[in-house]
Amino acid sequence: MKNKAYRALPLGQEAGHYLRAKRKRLTASSYRDYESCLDKLARYFADLEIGDLEPPVGTQQVEEFLDAQWGESAGRTYNKNLSILRDFFKFQVLRGKLHGDPTLAIERARKRDVYRTTFSSDQVRAIIASQEELRDRVAVRLLLDYGLRKGALKAIQFKHFDHQRKRLTVFTKGEKVRELPLPHPAFWFDLERLILEVAAHPSHYLMQRQVTHPVRFENAKAVESGCTASSTSRSETTASTTGGMPASSGPGSSRTERRAASGCTRRGIPPASVSSTRPAT
């Protein structure tokens, strides 16, 4: 899907026209879902034109496609992709490329009820008190006391808190923006302590980002081939026992022998046996 190869197919070309028109209304995540569904449609009917999916024959073909792709999935997943296809074929009818929508006669799947419970006041206090980090305590308060979505929590910066009006600007699903009142004094007390402790700037995020460790340039090839830090230490140990030079690092040694001597091999391939000769004493 990333290389857009599906757009070389007849239905893929129609999908490309549709996605270009819908880009103005879809968010980035919704656009990926739409393109993924239409990519599967174009590959499944690789030899069909858009006119070949006219109902009633097209209804049976589209229903078979939905059953083959998401027949065993959850009802919500099936219905989401049915809605995408329904909007796609509605677009084709409005553009005059189809006379009828083949998805109108396809029934939606029955969604199963989800069992949900709520935390009691004592459970909420216990969960908040069990958080060792002050940052985690503030985040859990937003989740449990104010019903904030986990996805929205990741995008919160300290500048989104309005200390004067006791409000928080939240960026929710679908790129919607709303203001959330935060009346509890305990929350603002923890938030102000956190800002003072970590010396947070307005542009800093509430949730900690993942720390990435850069790889040194000389070890880049070793990491790509599956070599770990322990193999480097083994190589240094071998060098120290052979007079400051690896046993198989001579001009006649091959790349495989050098890799095997240092303990670094490709995944799934055992190290080759290398015979080394100690210098005469």
Side-chain angles (χ1 to χ4, degrees), residues 6 9 16 28 36 50 53 55 57 66 70-71 73 84 100 108-109 125 134 136 164 185 212 214 219 224 235 242 259:
Y6 71 96
L9 302 172
S36 176
I50 188 65
L53 296 178
V57 177
L66 286 168
W70 301 285
S73 302
I84 294 173
R108 297 174 62 85
R125 285 193 291 266
L134 186 58
D136 296 337
Q164 185 70 25
T212 57
N219 293 334
E224 291 177 359
S235 176
T242 56
R259 183 179 293 142

Side-chain angles (χ1 to χ4, degrees), residues 9-182:
L9 302 172
L11 287 179
Q13 295 177 5
E14 302 298 337
H17 299 323
Y18 167 77
L19 291 172
R20 280 190 290 272
K22 296 293 291 185
R23 188 187 291 273
K24 299 184 290 291
R25 296 186 56 85
L26 296 177
T27 62
S29 59
S30 297
Y31 185 90
R32 288 192 297 269
D33 292 339
Y34 274 58
E35 188 175 21
S36 176
C37 176
L38 297 177
D39 171 76
K40 293 180 176 63
L41 177 71
R43 296 178 189 275
Y44 191 86
F45 298 113
D47 57 338
L48 296 184
E49 301 280 347
I50 188 65
D52 297 329
L53 296 178
E54 285 281 0
V57 177
T59 300
Q60 296 179 348
Q61 293 174 320
V62 174
E63 194 168 21
E64 290 174 1
F65 163 72
L66 286 168
D67 184 70
Q69 294 292 331
W70 301 285
E72 298 181 357
S73 302
R76 296 177 184 274
T77 305
Y78 183 93
N79 292 338
K80 181 186 73 172
N81 288 278
L82 175 59
S83 298
I84 294 173
L85 293 178
R86 185 161 291 170
D87 191 71
F88 169 71
F89 287 113
K90 178 182 177 181
F91 176 84
Q92 304 302 329
V93 172
L94 293 176
R95 294 295 175 99
K97 296 182 179 180
L98 280 177
H99 298 288
D101 184 354
T103 63
L104 289 179
I106 300 178
E107 294 184 359
R108 297 174 62 85
R110 181 179 179 180
K111 294 185 292 187
R112 297 182 177 87
D113 293 335
V114 180
Y115 177 71
R116 292 185 175 92
T117 58
T118 57
F119 294 110
S120 64
S121 300
D122 294 335
Q123 288 175 326
V124 170
R125 285 193 291 266
I127 293 173
I128 294 175
S130 65
Q131 307 301 317
E132 297 180 359
E133 296 290 336
L134 186 58
R135 184 189 296 266
D136 296 337
R137 198 177 309 161
V138 172
V140 170
R141 284 186 185 276
L142 289 174
L143 293 175
L144 298 181
D145 290 342
Y146 302 102
L148 201 66
R149 293 175 58 92
K150 183 179 178 182
L153 188 63
K154 299 178 181 179
I156 293 178
Q157 296 180 351
F158 285 99
K159 65 181 179 182
H160 298 148
F161 291 97
D162 187 346
H163 295 258
Q164 185 70 25
R165 301 170 57 220
K166 305 298 182 184
R167 293 178 180 272
L168 169 65
T169 303
V170 183
F171 300 88
T172 60
K173 185 178 180 181
E175 297 184 356
K176 297 179 181 178
V177 183
R178 66 184 181 93
E179 285 190 349
L180 179 67
L182 305 176

Side-chain angles (χ1 to χ4, degrees), residues 169-211:
T169 303
V170 183
F171 300 88
T172 60
K173 185 178 180 181
E175 297 184 356
K176 297 179 181 178
V177 183
R178 66 184 181 93
E179 285 190 349
L180 179 67
L182 305 176
H184 294 88
F187 173 83
W188 291 101
F189 177 76
D190 287 345
L191 179 64
E192 291 169 0
R193 280 184 54 199
L194 174 63
I195 294 175
L196 293 175
E197 288 182 5
V198 303
H201 292 279
S203 60
H204 287 180
Y205 285 86
L206 173 64
M207 296 296 292
Q208 292 181 344
R209 292 183 176 180
Q210 295 182 354
V211 180

